[in-house]
Amino acid sequence: MKIRAITALLFLSLSVNGFAQGGRIKISGNVRDADGNPLDLVAVQVKNTLIGTMTNEEGFYSLPVAPGDSLTLLFSCLGYNKAERIIPRVSQNMRVNVQMNYTSLELGEVNVTAMQRQTTTMETIDANRLKLLPDPSGGNIESLVVTHAGVSSNNELSSQYSVRGGSYDENIVYVNGMEVFRPLLIRSGEQEGLSFINPNMTEAVQFSAGGFEARYGDKMSSALDIKYKQPKAFEGSASASLMGANVYVGSSTGKFTQVTGFRYKTGRALLNTMDTDADYDPSFMDFQTYWTYRFSPRWEANFLGNVSLNNYTFIPHGRETSFGTANHPRKFTVGFDGKERDQFQTLYGAVTLKHHLSAKSEIGIQAFVFNSREEESYDITGYYWMDLSATEETEGAVESLSLAYYHEHARNRLLSNVAHVGLYGVQQIAANHTFKWGINGQRERITDKISEWESRDSAGYSLPQTGTDVNVIANLFSDNRIESSRFSGYLQDVFKFRTEQGLFTLVGGVRGSYWTYNKEFIFSPRLSAGFIPNVNQDWTFRLASGVYYQSPFYKELRVEVKDDNGNSVIRLNDRLKSQRSVHFILGGDYAFRAVARNFKVTTELYYKNLDNLNPYTVDNVKVRYYGENCAKGYIAGMDMKIFGEFVPGTDSWLSLSLMKTEQTIRGQTKAPLPNSQGYNLSLYFQDYFPGYKRAMLNLKGVLAGGFPVTAPRRGYEGGYRRTPPYRRVDIGMTYQLAGGSDDIMDRRFFRHFKNVWLGVDVFNLLDIKNTVSYYWITDVYNQQYAVPNYLTGRQLNVRIVIDF
């Protein structure tokens, strides 16, 4: 500890580029933004000299200068107006505190985010944008995440996303420092409902697309870190639309603060734009509350509670899908009977007790319990036929390619219980040196009962047709129960220091985990470095590397085997080990001003070496694993983003990702990873009507390559095909009825409201039918045809948002 303290003091002594010598006078102080928050990485310089320094994480700076006549201090930070302070005479040590104002224009609800310097792999995302974002998923944080570089999604009905070629299960999500979970039986976006994260309750969002810190758990792709609000006064909001409604209330009474939110979503109108004519009855509800009580200046307790109930009822009547090419157009027609009814209920409760040993030291205990009850039940029969439509080649005739009767049945139940307790600590050794640690224990109990089968009869023959037997085309049974414990811990050090070359930020740590089920211990070292050169502080460089594991939870363990009667049953593989990914990331930012506006260009190159892979296939959002470590591979790519004021006073960005992946299965089959799109172009754009700032336009657009998909139960050994590119544009127009500095409505009517917006959205503006998966049909000769399952079409949405 003595050596560490001495080292810290030596680095601090270099923070003024060698000017701290005997006889010097110290000017110090704090720099804060307009909201009173400390600003780090603010350049503080004696004007017209090379003497300078930067503020630390607490906004503090210290600058030795020579005694003498007047001097001028210049404070500059990207995204803020420059500030100058004139000191008439420098004769003794003094404090100079400064408040810096944003460079944004006052446009009612339109705010330009200050472009903070990103010296680690964690990127800050502004959750307030969701108020104006046209979002068919009902207002999820994830819908904003997918517009950032390296993140992709090909399903507007789902909040799940892929990061740099990884699976949906490879993304870890934290809320207030604790991991949250999602249901396991979800197989389509229509069933999914609301994301766990309530954006109205969210204060801060940080996201890493790779190379994240050791304090984040054992996942291979990304980390999303959410912090909920602790309001200082009463606040609230309410909104309603054709997609649902939500209400949020926050308050503070000195020692006690609370935020509470209720959300309701129904996607019935949106689902009715799909090819299947059906009675859709989705009903998704979510209630959350977050309490904070401060017993004393040093003791604080937090509680987070969540109840989520998702019901989905589906009664299909008919379907007609046209597909194929101009020369070979095909039409798939189905008549249905039966229905599907699903229910997903989750309960989550978390408690944190933290104690500040001193102003620079914190220790805390965290515990949570998670319970999920999932039920999937359907009996659907159908009679389908597929025709080769009339063309010149067929001389006007319609050729029947396949006709059959089928019956799909399922009675699936899954019960999950997770109990977790952990201890963590934070120690600030010096102003720019912070040490963090944590130890955790977790108990898991999962019960899984699956009974599903599908029969098909084509032209009077059961499929698959053998000539002798009557068979079902597929079945699956499971009756499994697993109880296990996990133990993990991490050590992490964050150190910032300055030299004559510039500011360095080092984040290093190690993480270890042990799972009793497969008796595996994994060790994960991680390191990242950031550098801001003194020669040009508009540049920021980042380098990160680490070993990341994907520890199995439950789905990964399932292996389909045949019993003595030829039925497919699920066995759990207790020898399955964690998948491993070694990350190498090199990136940088360049900030500049053009046409009197702020911009930032970000580029990251990455390479991930993969081994011990457990291959999987994706159908809609359902992930099916092989259940064995039988593959290896790699992911390489480049992410680019330009962020800034495309329109004065607004924030917009354009992201481009290029990627190549490959996996080798059992040493023979080479194929791309299931979430490898090749390219992804995303746009988030804001505008307002010239001279009338209350009328806003928000646009979100995506153009991405198709995903590789396989035929059911064949895997990549049976070959694969790619879905067509995913193309979608959502646009929203919002009008501010009340709020801001120039209200046009009668304040007597709106006096209780801070802001009122009225909006109109057009989802899928171009009405493009995107393919999410395929329905595979088989004729009597066992030849398969892939019929595309299309996503939603164009839909109008009206909404109102009120802040009070």
Side-chain angles (χ1 to χ4, degrees):
M1 184 63 72
K2 290 181 179 180
I3 294 175
R4 184 176 289 169
I6 292 172
T7 303
L9 290 172
L10 287 175
F11 280 121
L12 287 174
S13 68
L14 296 174
S15 65
V16 292
N17 298 331
F19 284 91
Q21 303 173 6
R24 297 279 178 171
I25 290 174
K26 183 172 69 174
I27 301 176
S28 60
N30 291 88
V31 181
R32 297 181 180 274
D33 64 16
D35 299 321
N37 302 311
L39 289 177
D40 64 341
L41 302 180
V42 176
V44 184
Q45 183 179 7
V46 178
K47 194 172 183 178
N48 299 323
T49 73
L50 297 178
I51 303 173
T53 187
M54 285 188 174
T55 58
N56 62 20
E57 293 176 344
E58 298 176 349
F60 178 78
Y61 72 93
S62 180
L63 188 66
V65 298
D69 294 332
S70 67
L71 59 81
T72 301
L73 293 181
L74 180 63
F75 299 82
S76 60
C77 182
L78 188 65
Y80 295 85
N81 294 321
K82 290 184 178 181
E84 292 188 1
R85 294 295 183 270
I86 299 175
I87 302 175
R89 181 169 178 79
V90 182
S91 57
Q92 59 183 0
N93 293 343
M94 62 180 65
R95 291 186 65 85
V96 178
N97 297 327
V98 174
Q99 175 180 298
M100 302 187 69
N101 296 317
Y102 302 109
T103 56
S104 63
L105 303 177
E106 295 297 329
L107 299 175
E109 183 60 19
V110 184
N111 292 312
V112 177
T113 301
M115 295 186 185
Q116 297 182 353
R117 299 177 188 270
Q118 183 185 340
T119 56
T120 68
T121 59
M122 297 299 293
E123 178 182 6
T124 300
I125 297 176
D126 183 8
N128 290 323
R129 301 183 193 282
L130 281 175
K131 286 186 177 181
L132 304 179
L133 183 71
D135 180 19
S137 67
N140 293 327
I141 290 287
E142 293 85 347
S143 64
L144 196 59
V145 172
V146 299
T147 65
H148 287 257
V151 189
S152 62
S153 171
N154 72 332
N155 191 338
E156 64 271 8
L157 297 174
S158 172
S159 62
Q160 301 191 55
Y161 54 89
S162 169
V163 179
R164 291 177 175 171
S167 81
Y168 306 133
D169 299 327
E170 294 176 14
N171 308 309
I172 196 164
V173 180
Y174 284 84
V175 175
N176 298 326
M178 286 176 280
E179 185 178 0
V180 297
F181 302 85
R182 67 172 68 244
L184 299 178
L185 279 183
I186 296 290
R187 57 185 172 82
S188 69
E190 295 94 303
Q191 300 171 304
E192 191 169 306
L194 292 158
S195 161
F196 181 94
I197 307 163
N198 188 326
N200 290 321
M201 299 169 60
T202 300
E203 178 181 67
V205 181
Q206 288 192 308
F207 176 75
S208 174
F212 43 90
E213 302 167 4
R215 61 192 174 105
Y216 298 113
D218 298 311
K219 298 287 186 179
M220 289 202 306
S221 287
S222 74
L224 180 61
D225 194 351
I226 306 295
K227 181 181 178 182
Y228 276 177
K229 296 177 180 177
Q230 295 184 17
K232 298 179 181 179
F234 178 80
E235 62 182 38
S237 69
S239 67
S241 74
L242 298 180
M243 303 293 296
N246 65 74
V247 178
Y248 155 77
V249 174
S251 63
S252 174
T253 58
K255 293 184 177 182
F256 177 76
T257 67
Q258 68 82 28
V259 288
T260 300
F262 174 80
R263 295 179 292 167
Y264 171 75
K265 174 186 172 182
T266 175
R268 182 180 305 171
L270 192 61
L271 295 178
N272 282 329
T273 66
M274 303 177 73
D275 276 357
T276 300
D277 176 28
D279 293 332
Y280 295 96
D281 187 17
S283 177
F284 311 123
M285 291 180 287
D286 173 272
F287 174 82
Q288 287 191 49
T289 186
Y290 177 56
W291 303 343
T292 300
Y293 185 77
R294 189 177 294 273
F295 300 97
S296 68
R298 292 195 173 188
W299 286 94
E300 180 182 307
N302 302 326
F303 168 75
L304 173 63
N306 171 254
V307 178
S308 177
L309 183 60
N310 297 339
N311 292 304
Y312 176 72
T313 301
F314 171 62
I315 304 176
H317 303 304
R319 168 180 172 176
E320 186 174 296
T321 301
S322 298
F323 65 104
T325 64
N327 293 329
H328 295 86
R330 293 171 180 171
K331 184 164 69 174
F332 179 67
T333 307
V334 189
F336 292 106
D337 190 19
K339 68 178 180 179
E340 174 180 353
R341 178 174 293 171
D342 308 320
Q343 185 178 83
F344 304 92
Q345 175 185 295
T346 60
L347 305 174
Y348 185 90
V351 176
T352 300
L353 179 64
K354 62 178 69 173
H355 176 56
H356 294 275
L357 300 171
S358 66
K360 298 183 178 180
S361 180
E362 177 185 322
I363 191 171
I365 184 170
Q366 296 178 317
F368 71 78
V369 291
F370 168 78
N371 172 270
S372 176
R373 294 178 180 270
E374 308 174 38
E375 299 181 2
E376 184 181 47
S377 174
Y378 56 82
D379 270 293
I380 297 177
T381 60
Y383 183 83
Y384 69 77
W385 59 96
M386 187 175 70
D387 300 325
L388 181 63
S389 301
T391 63
E392 292 183 2
E393 292 185 8
T394 62
E395 298 180 353
V398 176
E399 178 183 349
S400 179
L401 297 176
S402 178
L403 56 96
Y405 170 87
Y406 74 93
H407 186 177
E408 294 179 344
H409 166 92
R411 296 292 186 273
N412 300 330
R413 306 289 186 271
L414 191 142
L415 175 64
S416 306
N417 289 283
V418 180
H420 174 102
V421 63
L423 187 69
Y424 75 92
V426 180
Q427 176 66 49
Q428 187 176 3
I429 299 172
N432 291 336
H433 190 184
T434 304
F435 182 74
K436 301 179 180 181
W437 59 270
I439 53 175
N440 304 281
Q442 185 165 293
R443 184 68 177 171
E444 301 163 1
R445 184 172 69 249
I446 299 174
T447 302
D448 181 25
K449 294 182 180 295
I450 293 178
S451 174
E452 60 183 49
W453 50 263
E454 179 184 356
S455 66
R456 293 190 192 176
D457 185 300
S458 179
Y461 294 92
S462 66
L463 299 178
Q465 201 275 324
T466 63
T468 57
D469 301 324
V470 177
N471 297 303
V472 295
I473 196 169
N475 64 3
L476 186 65
F477 302 97
S478 172
D479 188 0
N480 289 296
R481 180 184 176 92
I482 178 175
E483 290 194 40
S484 62
S485 298
R486 298 178 195 264
F487 304 95
S488 64
Y490 69 88
L491 301 172
Q492 180 175 302
D493 205 5
V494 181
F495 191 32
K496 295 183 179 182
F497 62 93
R498 300 174 180 86
T499 68
E500 293 183 0
Q501 287 71 40
L503 173 68
F504 291 85
T505 301
L506 300 179
V507 181
V510 293
R511 182 179 187 89
S513 301
Y514 178 76
W515 192 25
T516 59
Y517 184 76
N518 64 358
K519 299 178 174 56
E520 178 190 31
F521 175 78
I522 53 179
F523 180 74
S524 175
R526 306 174 187 180
L527 177 67
S528 69
F531 174 59
I532 300 177
N534 281 336
V535 65
N536 188 342
Q537 296 182 4
D538 292 330
W539 286 94
T540 303
F541 300 97
R542 293 181 299 277
L543 178 67
S545 184
V547 180
Y548 295 83
Y549 289 90
Q550 180 75 19
S551 181
F553 184 66
Y554 176 73
K555 288 192 301 183
E556 299 91 333
L557 301 172
R558 299 195 293 194
V559 182
E560 293 186 25
V561 298
K562 296 291 186 180
D563 65 7
D564 295 337
N565 298 318
N567 297 310
S568 295
V569 296
I570 290 179
R571 298 283 186 259
L572 301 183
N573 182 5
D574 60 0
R575 296 185 179 182
L576 184 73
K577 301 303 180 183
S578 298
Q579 303 177 82
R580 182 171 63 179
S581 174
V582 182
H583 291 197
F584 300 95
I585 300 171
L586 175 64
D589 305 331
Y590 176 64
F592 63 96
R593 286 182 64 83
V595 292
R597 306 173 201 169
N598 292 323
F599 293 92
K600 182 171 72 172
V601 176
T602 299
T603 302
E604 286 194 349
L605 305 174
Y606 62 89
Y607 178 83
K608 296 194 282 189
N609 186 66
L610 312 173
D611 61 2
N612 267 2
L613 288 182
N614 182 1
Y616 63 93
T617 59
V618 178
D619 182 9
N620 201 307
V621 297
K622 185 171 185 176
V623 178
R624 288 184 179 270
Y625 290 91
Y626 280 43
E628 54 181 312
N629 303 112
C630 60
K632 62 181 180 179
Y634 71 88
I635 304 173
M638 176 175 64
D639 295 332
M640 296 174 287
K641 183 174 75 171
I642 178 168
F643 174 97
E645 300 177 61
F646 293 9
V647 175
T650 66
D651 282 341
S652 303
W653 59 84
L654 178 67
S655 302
L656 174 64
S657 299
L658 303 174
M659 175 175 52
K660 178 175 173 54
T661 73
E662 184 177 279
Q663 60 179 335
T664 303
I665 303 173
R666 299 190 176 100
Q668 297 178 347
T669 304
K670 292 184 180 293
L673 290 168
N675 284 310
S676 169
Q677 289 182 290
Y679 64 91
N680 188 314
L681 182 66
S682 300
L683 171 67
Y684 175 76
F685 178 74
Q686 292 187 54
D687 197 359
Y688 58 90
F689 285 86
Y692 200 67
K693 302 170 184 177
R694 291 183 174 275
M696 288 291 303
L697 179 144
N698 286 262
L699 182 145
K700 185 175 74 170
V702 178
L703 172 62
F707 287 111
V709 295
T710 64
R713 296 167 293 278
R714 288 193 177 183
Y716 287 97
E717 292 84 348
Y720 68 91
R721 64 184 297 167
R722 283 191 178 270
T723 62
Y726 182 80
R727 300 161 293 167
R728 186 178 178 91
V729 176
D730 299 320
I731 189 170
M733 290 157 283
T734 307
Y735 182 79
Q736 189 177 18
L737 292 173
S741 58
D742 56 340
D743 288 355
I744 60 173
M745 304 299 290
D746 187 346
R747 289 299 295 174
R748 289 174 296 179
F749 180 76
F750 288 101
R751 64 182 182 274
H752 299 296
F753 303 138
K754 294 179 182 178
N755 295 288
V756 179
W757 295 273
L758 183 64
V760 176
D761 303 322
V762 182
F763 301 138
N764 197 356
L765 177 66
L766 305 180
D767 199 25
I768 297 174
K769 290 189 174 183
N770 290 300
T771 301
V772 66
S773 61
Y774 290 94
Y775 183 78
W776 297 80
I777 64 175
T778 308
D779 62 17
V780 69
Y781 305 106
N782 289 330
Q783 182 178 352
Q784 287 191 319
Y785 300 91
V787 181
N789 294 317
Y790 293 125
L791 285 165
T792 59
R794 184 189 293 121
Q795 176 65 28
L796 186 70
N797 182 48
V798 180
R799 57 192 167 112
I800 184 170
V801 181
I802 300 174
D803 284 346
F804 50 88

